[in-house]
């Protein structure tokens, strides 16, 4: 069964909803709304990773994220924290986060491996080539599908060598991260290759710019991010058909319907999400 991760950006500059939920109260309210709409867990992030975004320091990231996390855990919500920093990950896990969603796959902070290996937490390993400010120039591939698969398996090997158990890992092909639209579409068309690597897979296509390019209007205008939810739902259905375990989306309600339409009734064991501080989110394969 494909599960749905709802996005909660506690940031002023995220590409789709920066500033809309940039505060403890609005962020918690939005997260609870996503849960009501059917989110299996919510992913809280305090630093934008859109192309060109500048980094914030660890103190600011934690000031944004940790109070929201505390309230959501108290409300019984399964929470993922979107961070590249080991210090933020450690604090989040201590407070009850069940997943660390690291867009750098452990490359941005050499201390991340130790935090994850010592926690037993689920860890999302995203394909990454560099920080947001310079990622556009890094979108160079011989064969994007082959390169992404090779890079992800290399990260798995490095993480396991550093003490992370392979059962903790979820792979993410990193759509839109150092990738041009044609790269994103090739990866989506080849999701079976990513799934075939033998690990649970997360796909995060929600409202990204390559979807805007797809739906460009005859006059040349591109739909703003908030108008890309139908295209996102179509990609969700594609991802479900390919066998991915988790989709990360802004509009949970419409994507929950896409999952229900695309997933056969006889789908396999569910992705398990529980809400205690010692729990992890795992694929029951």
């Amino acid at each position: 069964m494909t599960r749905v991760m709802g996005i909660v950006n506690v940031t002023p500059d995220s590409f789709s909803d920066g500033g809309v939920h940039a505060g403890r109260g609005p962020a918690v309210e939005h997260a609870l709304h996503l849960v009501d709409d059917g989110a299996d867990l919510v992913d809280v992030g305090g630093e934008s990773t859109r192309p060109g975004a500048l980094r914030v320091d660890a103190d600011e990231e934690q000031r944004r994220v940790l109070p929201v996390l505390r309230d959501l855990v108290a409300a019984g919500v399964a929470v993922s924290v979107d961070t590249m920093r080991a210090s933020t990950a450690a604090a989040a896990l201590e407070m009850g986060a069940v997943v660390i969603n690291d867009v750098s796959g452990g490359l941005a902070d050499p201390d991340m491996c130790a935090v994850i290996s010592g926690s037993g937490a689920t860890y999302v390993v995203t394909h990454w080539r560099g920080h947001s400010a310079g990622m556009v120039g890094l979108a160079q591939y011989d064969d994007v599908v082959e390169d992404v698969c090779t890079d992800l398996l290399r990260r798995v090997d490095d993480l396991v060598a550093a003490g992370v158990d392979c059962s903790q890992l979820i792979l993410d092909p990193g759509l839109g991260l150092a990738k041009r639209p044609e790269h994103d579409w090739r990866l989506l068309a080849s999701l079976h290759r990513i799934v075939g690597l033998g690990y649970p897979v997360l796909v995060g296509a929600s409202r990204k710019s390559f979807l805007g390019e797809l739906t460009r209007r005859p006059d040349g205008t591109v739909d703003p991010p908030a108008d890309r939810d139908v295209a996102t739902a179509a990609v969700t259905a594609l991802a479900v058909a390919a066998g991915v375990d988790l989709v990360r989306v802004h509009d949970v309600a419409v994507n929950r319907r896409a999952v229900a339409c695309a997933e056969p009734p006889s789908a396999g064991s569910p992705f398990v999400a529980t809400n205690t501080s010692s729990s992890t989110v795992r694929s029951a394969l």
Side-chain angles (χ1 to χ4, degrees):
M1 180 183 295
T2 303
R3 297 299 188 184
V4 178
M5 171 189 278
I7 298 170
V8 180
N9 289 318
V10 196
T11 58
D13 57 343
S14 291
F15 78 95
S16 173
D17 54 1
V20 177
H21 312 299
R24 180 176 183 172
V28 171
E29 181 179 5
H30 179 60
L32 294 175
H33 174 73
L34 294 179
V35 172
D36 287 344
D37 281 347
D40 296 288
L41 70 164
V42 296
D43 190 45
V44 180
E47 178 178 31
S48 175
T49 54
R50 63 175 174 79
L54 299 177
R55 301 210 68 188
V56 299
D57 63 31
D59 288 344
E60 176 61 17
E61 180 185 41
Q62 292 170 29
R63 185 193 66 79
R64 296 173 180 179
V65 168
L66 296 183
V68 176
L69 169 61
R70 182 181 295 109
D71 288 354
L72 292 177
V73 169
V77 176
V79 182
S80 166
V81 170
D82 181 356
T83 182
M84 293 182 278
R85 287 191 173 86
S87 61
T88 300
L93 292 171
E94 181 68 24
M95 292 176 61
V98 296
V99 178
I100 297 300
N101 180 16
D102 181 355
V103 74
S104 81
L107 291 170
D109 188 334
D111 294 328
M112 183 66 85
C113 290
V115 170
I116 300 303
S117 64
S119 70
T122 295
Y123 184 57
V124 179
V125 183
T126 304
H127 182 264
W128 187 81
R129 286 198 160 179
H131 289 291
S132 298
M135 74 166 60
V136 173
L138 300 172
Q140 305 293 329
Y141 300 91
D142 293 326
D143 179 324
V144 68
V145 177
E146 188 66 31
D147 291 351
V148 167
C149 287
T150 298
D151 290 349
L152 284 172
L153 287 178
R154 185 178 296 119
R155 290 305 304 138
V156 168
D157 288 344
D158 290 346
L159 288 162
V160 171
V164 178
D165 192 289
C166 62
S167 67
Q168 295 177 250
L169 304 178
I170 299 175
L171 304 185
D172 179 346
L175 300 176
L177 302 176
K179 314 225 177 26
R180 296 191 295 273
E182 60 266 30
H183 296 142
D184 295 320
W185 288 116
R186 284 197 61 198
L187 286 165
L188 285 170
S190 302
L191 279 177
H192 62 283
R193 291 278 307 281
I194 312 279
V195 171
L197 297 177
Y199 293 87
V201 174
L202 180 153
V203 166
S206 188
R207 298 181 178 177
K208 290 187 174 179
S209 60
F210 75 95
L211 297 178
E213 290 298 323
L214 175 72
T215 58
R216 185 182 290 273
R217 299 172 187 173
D219 64 0
T221 59
V222 175
D223 286 340
D227 291 342
R228 300 172 191 166
D229 288 325
V230 172
T232 300
V235 170
T236 289
L238 173 70
V240 172
V244 307
D245 299 87
L246 192 62
V247 289
R248 180 179 182 272
V249 300
H250 295 85
D251 188 324
V252 167
V254 75
N255 283 280
R256 172 60 71 190
R257 293 185 182 97
V259 169
C261 289
E263 193 161 59
S266 58
S269 299
F271 204 90
V272 179
T274 57
N275 298 328
T276 63
S277 61
S278 62
S279 301
T280 57
V281 177
R282 296 280 168 81
S283 174
L285 299 178

